[in-house]
Amino acid sequence: MSGRNGAARRYRVAHRTTYCYSDEVTSSYGRAYLTPREFPGQRLLSHDISIDPVPSDQSVGPDVYGNTTSYFHVTAEHRTLVVTGESLVEVDRPDRAANGPAAQPWEHARPTGATGPLAVEFTLDLQPPEITPEVRAYAAESLTPGRPLIEAVAELNTRIHTDFTYRSGSTTVSTKVADVFAAGAGVCQDFARIGVACLRSHGLAARYVSGYLATDPPPGKERMVGADATHAWSAVWVPDADELDRTGHWIDFDPTNDQFGDERYVTVAWGRDYADVPPLRGIIYTDAKESTITVSVDVSPVEV
């Protein structure tokens, strides 16, 4: 669980998406997940979303998971649409105890309506299903009976990192987990979805997390895959030691880089799958036959 421990890092995040079309777009509806979340361990100090052309209608509100989502409607004719999110975020170094619930057998972390009612939804498979016999067997190699949860997740994290090759452009946002298993390659979104499916296949609650990695690593840390782009990782639910507290907490883990989440990770949104929290989605009205999308992300450290 995250907490303030004197190791906070502050980042300025700039996320720009540019759409170019071969003909005029007469109307463009969009929904964006570009606003970093606030929760214990992460504070959003400032945020702004700019859209060019200027929308005729725009609103901001929470989704079912508490993520901030921004809606816009551009009615001015255009061939280029630019959506820019700029944020100032402060992230604490996670303070994970060596003992406690995460050190208990993983079977104890299966949520129920009594122990973790809000986590139960994150144990359910997607539709169409992603949990196959192959996924269940792959997860079982790490989730052996009685093994401490944190140890099992750490090994699963390492195995995904080792067994699957990071290959940019090898998949799309609609690629299924089974297809990634067959290809043995994917990108961070795929590896996060594998981690989620593996844990759910054994009754654990797991969520998909979308966000950013710091571009410039702190001293002594290597630059990680996923910098200068949106990133994705997984999180596993852990019950709290206090049996009266049915909220529990979540531990982030990143199969792409084979590590647990730390102060370099800026969380934007979480859900059951990528489809719940894409950075941008929308509908356009146009006769354009061709279009391009360019995305640039910069996460720069700022002195606290």
Side-chain angles (χ1 to χ4, degrees):
M1 179 181 294
S2 297
R4 302 207 66 168
N5 57 11
R9 288 177 62 84
R10 188 173 293 178
Y11 302 102
R12 193 173 304 280
V13 180
H15 181 164
R16 174 172 293 185
T17 305
T18 303
Y19 298 91
C20 294
Y21 306 99
S22 60
D23 202 347
E24 297 291 338
V25 173
T26 57
S27 184
S28 176
Y29 295 87
R31 186 171 294 280
Y33 285 89
L34 296 173
T35 308
R37 291 191 65 123
E38 286 201 272
F39 54 89
Q42 179 170 295
R43 292 164 296 283
L44 181 60
L45 305 180
S46 66
H47 177 72
D48 182 63
I49 292 180
S50 62
I51 300 164
D52 183 20
V54 176
S56 57
D57 185 22
Q58 190 172 2
S59 64
V60 177
D63 71 359
V64 68
Y65 299 115
N67 305 302
T68 298
T69 176
S70 303
Y71 160 84
F72 61 88
H73 180 199
V74 176
T75 54
E77 288 194 356
H78 58 278
R79 292 196 178 201
T80 301
L81 174 68
V82 182
V83 181
T84 305
E86 295 182 297
S87 309
L88 184 63
V89 188
E90 196 169 82
V91 184
D92 294 330
R93 177 180 299 165
D95 183 16
R96 298 191 187 91
N99 46 30
Q104 298 299 311
W106 65 267
E107 294 94 336
H108 295 181
R110 289 171 170 152
T112 67
T115 62
L118 297 180
V120 171
E121 177 185 0
F122 293 89
T123 68
L124 304 176
D125 198 3
L126 303 176
Q127 290 296 330
E130 293 277 47
I131 298 173
T132 62
E134 184 179 15
V135 168
R136 191 173 288 107
Y138 186 85
E141 293 183 36
S142 295
L143 296 168
T144 53
R147 190 174 195 182
L149 174 68
I150 197 70
E151 181 182 308
V153 171
E155 184 187 277
L156 176 64
N157 204 30
T158 298
R159 288 175 54 224
I160 296 172
H161 174 79
T162 303
D163 295 342
F164 295 87
T165 302
Y166 186 94
R167 188 174 300 146
S168 181
S170 61
T171 59
T172 70
V173 296
S174 60
T175 300
K176 300 300 182 184
V177 167
D179 297 328
V180 181
F181 264 84
V187 295
C188 57
Q189 289 86 351
D190 302 304
F191 302 158
R193 297 178 74 242
I194 290 173
V196 166
C198 283
L199 295 182
R200 288 178 182 164
S201 73
H202 287 261
L204 294 171
R207 67 189 182 194
Y208 177 98
V209 188
S210 176
Y212 309 107
L213 278 178
T215 303
D216 299 319
K221 298 286 188 177
E222 293 184 358
R223 181 183 178 86
M224 295 187 294
V225 174
D228 298 324
T230 54
H231 193 48
W233 56 94
S234 316
V236 59
W237 182 82
V238 182
D240 283 329
D242 183 357
E243 294 184 358
L244 297 179
D245 185 348
R246 301 192 301 165
T247 303
H249 63 279
W250 297 80
I251 296 176
D252 293 336
F253 64 99
D254 179 6
T256 303
N257 292 291
D258 188 19
Q259 71 162 40
F260 287 98
D262 61 19
E263 68 276 16
R264 288 171 288 178
Y265 289 74
V266 176
T267 298
V268 172
W270 58 60
R272 295 189 62 239
D273 189 43
Y274 170 87
D276 291 332
V277 291
L280 278 165
R281 62 155 61 102
I283 299 172
I284 63 170
Y285 293 86
T286 181
D287 291 326
K289 305 300 182 184
E290 298 178 353
S291 64
T292 61
I293 177 173
T294 304
V295 180
S296 66
V297 173
D298 184 54
V299 185
S300 304
V302 177
E303 288 298 324
V304 177

